């Protein structure tokens, strides 16, 4: 069909959360989560205030049990007394009773399908007959219905939040730890909501792997569309980390989906103070708005609707280097490259076909770089061009920080399979910074691994050790282990499951204690944090993955 490639939001229903409306034509909602104990009322109130003052429209707090869920009422009461109307969300794992209590006290409850009705992952039962599987689906309805009834009576919204690595044994038995399993886990709960006419639902489906996260969200959109569901979507890259790496991963994942019109509310999960997440989220949303104007050449392009396109239209060129290259690091500019834009494509087409091994420099110079890139992607696929493609963009006049702008724009195209090299320019940045940024974007898209990858959660009330201090110490000791993935997690809820593809894990196990993992297997249990880093290094050495710094 004829489809304008310009940015457009996926149509969704509206969900009211206190005085905030998510979905429909409403602005994208920014939110964060406290890292305080939910029983620490003054601390939680103070942190919620800081999130709201930074521009956060919704604040989430963990509720491990009924005691914490009940105390949410006191936190809410104190915020209201101080003039803060920011809605509160209870984050629930493993405890339906906590969800019931929270639904009577706050504006929204988040549950995880992987552990709300199904038991924790024990892998005692792997094979289910069709009859057994159907009976398990019936248990979901029986377990979820009491919560839906409370939410209806209290006008409490619900978030159904699926996380990669925390799928139930039942889903794992049939789908494995896959995007298909994540989507089905969400759809099972959504079908119950639809059956019982409960519409105040927001859905999220997250992963720390940006490629897995974006693919899974696109699959979920297609699945919901096929069953005529229009629930709004909450976007986020879990355990993105801190500093530049955390911002790059978040901007690539969240930004690439927003650029395709997917997403109604977002959270940038950084291992930093919660209020630090909000300016990053705002900058991402603002940049998407700034690059959403149309380009004339896109109007007559025949493509599928952008937000339901799961598969890349073009894979990386078979004539390119084994890993994407970076101008200024691997190669220098050349007069033999063929510069191509959305406007001069037809003029350059004969030259491109005559020189298939020469770089086509896709210069994204207009106000709609993602749209321009999509147009070029479509034309390259349409013409069957073999040329390796270099994505070139100059950010010198861009009001958005180059880290976020480049991650959103170039990451969106790389995730679609378009791009064999990056050329990032910015008069405000030195060559070293731009090279580091290019490598960071390529690492976030898993196209080129050039450093240690840290999968670290932002922390919450379940975290019982100094997470940020631990992250700093672990990074200092292991940053030279290029290609190794290390998970640094606050608690067992977001532990071995959420760091699903990490090589090693450092996971909170209690007050001041952690456990160490190799993959998903716990190798060292419940040791003091003072001993944990040396033991982690020892574990890495025992398995042959350690190398001394150069």
């Amino acid at each position: 069909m004829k489809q304008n490639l310009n940015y457009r939001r996926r149509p969704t229903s509206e969900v009211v959360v206190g005085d905030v409306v998510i979905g429909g034509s409403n602005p994208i909602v920014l939110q964060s989560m406290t890292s305080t104990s939910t029983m620490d009322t003054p601390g939680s109130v103070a942190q919620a205030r800081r999130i709201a003052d930074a521009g956060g429209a919704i604040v989430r707090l963990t509720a491990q049990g009924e005691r914490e869920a009940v105390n949410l009422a006191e936190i809410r009461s104190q915020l209201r007394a101080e003039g803060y109307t920011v809605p509160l969300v209870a984050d629930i794992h493993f405890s339906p009773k906590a969800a019931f209590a929270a639904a009577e006290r706050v504006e929204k409850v988040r549950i995880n399908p992987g552990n709300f009705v199904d038991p924790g992952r024990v892998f005692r039962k792997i094979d289910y007959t069709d009859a057994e599987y159907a009976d398990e689906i019936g248990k979901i309805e029986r377990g979820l219905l009491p919560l839906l009834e409370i939410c209806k009576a209290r006008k409490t919204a619900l978030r159904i939040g699926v996380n990669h690595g925390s799928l139930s044994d039942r889903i794992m038995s049939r789908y494995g730890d896959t995007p298909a399993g994540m989507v089905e886990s969400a759809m099972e709960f959504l079908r119950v909501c639809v059956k019982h006419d409960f519409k105040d639902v927001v859905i999220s489906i997250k992963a720390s792997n940006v490629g897995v996260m974006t693919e899974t969200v696109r699959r979920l959109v297609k699945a919901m569309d096929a069953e005529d569901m229009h629930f709004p979507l909450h976007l986020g890259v879990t355990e993105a980390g801190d500093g530049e790496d955390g911002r790059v991963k978040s901007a690539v994942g969240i930004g690439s989906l927003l650029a395709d019109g997917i997403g109604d509310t977002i959270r940038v999960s950084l291992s930093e103070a919660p209020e630090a997440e909000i300016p990053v989220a705002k900058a991402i949303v603002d940049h998407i708005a700034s690059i959403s104007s149309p380009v004339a050449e896109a109007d007559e392009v025949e493509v599928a609707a952008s937000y339901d396109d799961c598969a890349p239209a073009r894979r990386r060129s078979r004539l390119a280097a084994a890993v994407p290259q970076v101008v200024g690091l691997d190669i220098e500019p050349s007069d033999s490259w063929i510069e191509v834009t959305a406007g001069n494509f037809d003029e350059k087409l004969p030259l491109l076909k005559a020189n298939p091994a020469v770089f086509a420099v896709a210069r994204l110079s207009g106000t709609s770089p993602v749209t321009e890139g999509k147009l070029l992607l479509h034309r390259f696929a349409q013409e069957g061009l073999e040329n390796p493609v270099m994505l070139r963009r100059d950010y010198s006049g861009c009001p958005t920080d180059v880290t976020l702008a480049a991650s959103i724009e170039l990451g969106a195209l790389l995730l679609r399979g378009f791009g064999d090299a990056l050329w990032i320019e910015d008069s405000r940045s030195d060559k070293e910074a731009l090279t580091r940024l290019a490598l960071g974007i390529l690492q976030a898209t898993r196209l080129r691994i050039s450093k240690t990858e840290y999968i670290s959660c932002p922390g919450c009330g379940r975290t019982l050790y100094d997470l940020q201090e631990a992250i700093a110490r672990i990074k200092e000791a292991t940053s030279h282990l290029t290609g190794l993935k290390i998970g640094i997690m606050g608690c067992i809820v977001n532990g071995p499951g959420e760091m699903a593809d990490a090589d090693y894990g450092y996971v909170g196990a209690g007050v001041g204690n952690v456990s160490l993992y190799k993959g998903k297997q716990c190798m060292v249990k419940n040791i003091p944090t003072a001993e944990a880093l040396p033991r982690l290094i020892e574990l890495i050495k025992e398995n042959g993955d350690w190398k001394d710094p150069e």
Side-chain angles (χ1 to χ4, degrees):
M1 66 178 180
K2 301 280 184 172
Q3 174 65 47
N4 192 324
L5 289 182
N6 182 29
Y7 172 79
R8 62 193 183 91
R9 287 273 293 282
R10 168 182 169 264
T12 59
S13 55
E14 292 186 346
V15 173
V16 177
V17 184
D19 59 1
V20 175
V21 183
I22 299 173
S25 60
N26 296 284
I28 294 168
V29 175
L30 312 182
Q31 55 181 286
S32 184
M33 183 175 183
T34 65
S35 59
T36 51
S37 166
T38 310
M39 296 308 299
D40 175 8
T41 301
S44 297
V45 169
Q47 205 166 75
R49 284 200 311 262
R50 291 197 295 272
I51 292 169
D53 289 342
I58 293 177
V59 174
R60 182 160 48 115
L61 303 94
T62 187
Q64 303 97 304
E66 289 183 80
R67 184 178 68 142
E68 289 82 3
V70 169
N71 199 56
L72 289 171
E74 181 61 26
I75 294 170
R76 184 179 183 275
S77 176
Q78 289 197 24
L79 283 167
R80 300 298 177 266
E82 296 180 22
Y84 287 83
T85 61
V86 58
L88 302 186
V89 182
D91 191 67
I92 306 293
H93 290 274
F94 301 110
S95 179
K97 289 183 178 180
F100 302 154
E104 295 181 339
R105 292 168 171 84
V106 294
E107 289 82 0
K108 185 179 176 186
V109 174
R110 181 266 173 137
I111 59 172
N112 183 342
N115 57 41
F116 184 73
V117 175
D118 287 305
R121 293 154 290 165
V122 294
F123 298 98
R124 291 175 187 159
K125 175 79 170 171
I126 298 298
D127 297 318
Y128 290 84
T129 66
D130 289 344
E132 289 173 330
Y133 201 91
D135 183 61
E136 293 294 316
I137 297 296
K139 290 180 182 178
I140 291 175
E141 182 172 7
R142 293 190 294 273
L144 183 58
L145 190 53
L147 178 59
L148 299 186
E149 290 174 345
I150 296 172
C151 288
K152 279 184 180 181
R154 304 287 297 192
K155 299 188 182 304
T156 304
L158 183 67
R159 170 148 75 98
I160 296 172
V162 178
N163 282 358
H164 184 219
S166 65
L167 301 178
S168 68
D169 287 344
R170 179 180 51 76
I171 287 287
M172 290 282 288
S173 73
R174 187 154 292 192
Y175 296 93
D177 197 4
T178 63
M182 295 167 70
V183 170
E184 184 59 21
S185 182
M187 293 298 292
E188 289 176 349
F189 275 63
L190 289 178
R191 291 179 190 121
V192 175
C193 293
V194 170
K195 178 179 178 180
H196 293 278
D197 195 32
F198 184 76
K199 300 176 181 178
D200 293 327
V201 181
V202 179
I203 181 76
S204 68
I205 196 155
K206 298 184 180 183
S208 60
N209 181 313
V210 173
V212 170
M213 174 263 192
T214 54
E215 177 191 346
T216 307
V217 170
R218 294 181 192 281
R219 284 174 175 264
L220 176 64
V221 168
K222 294 193 76 171
M224 286 198 291
D225 285 351
E227 298 189 28
D228 196 28
M229 296 179 184
H230 308 284
F231 298 108
L233 282 161
H234 170 118
L235 303 182
V237 177
T238 59
E239 291 81 48
D242 62 355
E244 183 175 87
D245 288 344
R247 285 158 176 77
V248 168
K249 286 180 72 173
S250 296
V252 170
I254 296 171
S256 64
L257 291 169
L258 290 179
D260 281 348
I262 299 172
D264 304 279
T265 178
I266 69 171
R267 185 213 174 174
V268 174
S269 297
L270 299 177
S271 299
E272 301 175 15
E275 60 268 25
E277 298 177 350
I278 301 301
V280 181
K282 184 178 186 302
I284 291 172
V285 171
D286 288 348
H287 190 68
I288 290 294
S290 76
I291 63 173
S292 63
S293 58
V295 291
E297 292 81 8
D299 291 339
E300 299 302 319
V301 175
E302 189 175 313
V303 293
S306 60
Y307 57 72
D308 66 6
D309 180 15
C310 292
R314 175 185 183 270
R315 294 180 179 177
R316 294 187 60 248
S317 171
R318 64 182 178 83
L319 300 175
V323 296
Q325 297 180 318
V326 175
V327 172
L329 175 67
D330 308 299
I331 47 177
E332 296 301 328
S334 168
D335 292 335
S336 67
W337 295 346
I338 303 169
E339 187 167 281
V340 60
T341 66
N344 74 1
F345 182 84
D346 290 331
E347 174 191 340
K348 298 291 185 178
L349 181 58
L351 193 57
L352 291 169
K353 287 189 172 182
N355 298 277
V358 173
F359 265 116
V361 180
R363 184 158 191 166
L364 309 172
S365 56
T367 57
S368 303
V370 178
T371 304
E372 293 174 26
K374 287 183 192 176
L375 174 60
L376 287 171
L377 164 60
H378 178 75
R379 296 301 306 274
F380 269 74
Q382 188 180 53
E383 298 293 342
L385 292 174
E386 294 284 342
N387 302 75
V389 173
M390 177 179 294
L391 301 177
R392 180 182 183 185
R393 175 75 159 153
D394 189 344
Y395 291 94
S396 298
C398 179
T400 306
D401 177 77
V402 64
T403 297
L404 298 179
S407 298
I408 292 168
E409 297 170 4
L410 304 180
L413 297 173
L414 290 169
L415 286 173
R416 284 181 172 269
F418 193 54
D420 306 284
L422 294 183
W423 186 353
I424 302 176
E425 300 172 284
D426 180 30
S427 60
R428 301 162 296 183
S429 306
D430 60 33
K431 178 179 177 180
E432 182 180 348
L434 294 177
T435 298
R436 185 178 66 245
L437 174 58
L439 291 173
I441 294 170
L442 292 171
Q443 178 130 344
T445 55
R446 299 291 176 97
L447 292 175
R448 176 172 178 171
I449 305 301
S450 58
K451 53 189 171 183
T452 313
E453 180 164 347
Y454 298 96
I455 303 167
S456 61
C457 76
C460 69
R462 296 185 298 265
T463 304
L464 300 176
Y465 69 96
D466 190 331
L467 181 65
Q468 292 181 31
E469 190 268 341
I471 292 170
R473 289 191 299 107
I474 293 170
K475 280 189 169 185
E476 184 179 7
T478 62
S479 60
H480 63 288
L481 300 176
T482 301
L484 208 65
K485 297 189 288 292
I486 299 177
I488 310 167
M489 314 301 295
C491 71
I492 195 65
V493 169
N494 288 329
E498 294 309 299
M499 54 179 198
D501 61 351
D503 299 301
Y504 296 92
Y506 183 107
V507 179
V511 179
N513 289 337
V514 301
S515 294
L516 302 179
Y517 286 73
K518 184 179 188 303
K520 291 185 179 181
Q521 183 178 359
C522 184
M523 307 298 291
V524 183
K525 292 184 178 181
N526 204 29
I527 58 174
T529 54
E531 302 174 16
L533 180 55
R535 295 290 295 276
L536 175 63
I537 293 172
E538 182 181 330
L539 180 63
I540 295 172
K541 288 181 176 179
E542 288 173 356
N543 288 276
D545 291 323
W546 182 267
K547 59 182 179 182
D548 292 326
E550 295 181 357

